[in-house]
Amino acid sequence: MVRQKIQIKKIDNLTARQVTFSKRRRGVFKKAQELSTLCDAEIALIVFSATGKLFHYSSSSMMQLIERHRGQAENSDKLGQPSFQLLENNGYGMLSKVLMDKTRELRQLKGEDLHELDMDELIRLEKTVMGGLNHVVEAKNDKFLKEISLLRKKESELMEENAKLKQLAEKFEVTGNGTEQSNSSECITNISHGSDTSLRLGLPFTFGR
């Protein structure tokens, strides 16, 4: 019968967890003892349970093994420190050199410290400056074209707005003239009616007194 493989995960049941811990702890300590006996190895194991209880095993003195481990760790740190410091110093030196080179190049691009350059270096610098100048001119022209296009667009919008305002003013002017003519006609009509009424109300004309 094939033995079923147990999935390694936390055991939720507290009782089953404690039983498993006890069995496996004894098994680990037994394997450590066998390894120490078979291979003449010095082994120290320290285990804390979930409740904080301490369990330990050592093939010899536990304190001696702990001190030996501590001394070994300190020696490793001391041996590793110079190499790390050397690497750090080399990195700092490389960064400092790169910074100095870039600073000198920038000053030369500004026309400073040119006396240190020979003819070939001056020619290369001239090409670099001319290339950068061409890029600057292209960027400036592109900016000018964009600004001109924007101004033309605004001009077109203003002209269109002025045309609308002119049409609106002409419309108001025509409407105003029509109103004035209508008022004048009404006034003439009223005057005519008033004259007729005056003539009708006048004294009758008599002949041959």
Side-chain angles (χ1 to χ4, degrees):
M1 183 176 179
V2 180
R3 185 176 180 181
Q4 186 178 2
K5 186 177 181 180
I6 300 175
Q7 186 178 3
I8 303 300
K9 65 177 183 179
K10 182 179 179 180
I11 301 174
D12 296 329
N13 186 272
L14 180 59
T15 302
R17 190 192 311 162
Q18 291 176 347
V19 172
T20 302
F21 173 78
S22 179
K23 290 181 178 180
R24 298 220 170 194
R25 173 180 56 79
R26 288 196 296 267
V28 168
F29 285 174
K30 183 178 179 180
K31 292 293 184 183
Q33 183 180 6
E34 292 176 355
L35 178 62
S36 175
T37 302
L38 293 173
C39 303
D40 194 21
E42 295 187 5
I43 299 175
L45 292 178
I46 298 176
V47 179
F48 287 94
S49 67
T51 58
K53 188 176 180 179
L54 172 64
F55 300 90
H56 61 85
Y57 164 81
S58 61
S59 57
S60 59
S61 172
M62 175 66 74
M63 294 303 300
Q64 291 180 359
L65 291 177
I66 292 175
E67 290 296 332
R68 183 176 177 183
H69 173 268
R70 185 179 300 171
Q72 187 71 24
E74 291 177 355
N75 291 334
S76 298
D77 293 340
K78 290 180 180 179
L79 291 174
Q81 186 175 0
S83 60
F84 176 76
Q85 188 69 29
L86 180 62
L87 179 62
E88 184 179 4
N89 292 336
N90 290 337
Y92 178 76
M94 292 177 61
L95 290 177
S96 298
K97 185 178 183 303
V98 171
L99 179 60
M100 291 178 60
D101 293 340
K102 294 301 180 182
T103 302
R104 184 173 62 254
E105 291 179 4
L106 181 60
R107 292 176 61 86
Q108 292 171 354
L109 289 173
K110 294 167 61 177
E112 302 175 1
D113 298 338
L114 300 180
H115 61 279
E116 301 177 355
L117 303 180
D118 57 21
M119 184 59 66
D120 293 336
E121 291 174 339
L122 287 172
I123 292 174
R124 287 197 297 269
L125 179 61
E126 182 184 11
K127 291 181 179 180
T128 302
V129 172
M130 293 302 298
L133 182 60
N134 291 334
H135 289 310
V136 172
V137 172
E138 291 176 359
K140 183 185 69 175
N141 292 337
D142 184 61
K143 182 73 69 174
F144 279 157
L145 291 175
K146 289 181 179 179
E147 290 181 357
I148 291 172
S149 177
L150 182 61
L151 290 175
R152 286 179 177 175
K153 183 178 179 181
K154 290 182 178 180
E155 181 184 8
S156 178
E157 292 175 354
L158 289 174
M159 291 178 65
E160 183 178 355
E161 187 68 23
N162 288 336
K164 291 180 180 179
L165 291 174
K166 185 177 180 181
Q167 292 177 359
L168 186 61
E170 291 176 352
K171 182 178 180 181
F172 281 141
E173 184 178 356
V174 171
T175 305
N177 291 336
T179 304
E180 290 178 359
Q181 292 177 0
S182 176
N183 292 334
S184 298
S185 300
E186 290 178 358
C187 289
I188 294 172
T189 303
N190 292 334
I191 292 171
S192 299
H193 287 311
S195 299
D196 293 342
T197 304
S198 298
L199 291 174
R200 290 174 184 172
L201 294 176
L203 295 175
F205 183 78
T206 56
F207 296 94
R209 280 185 180 179

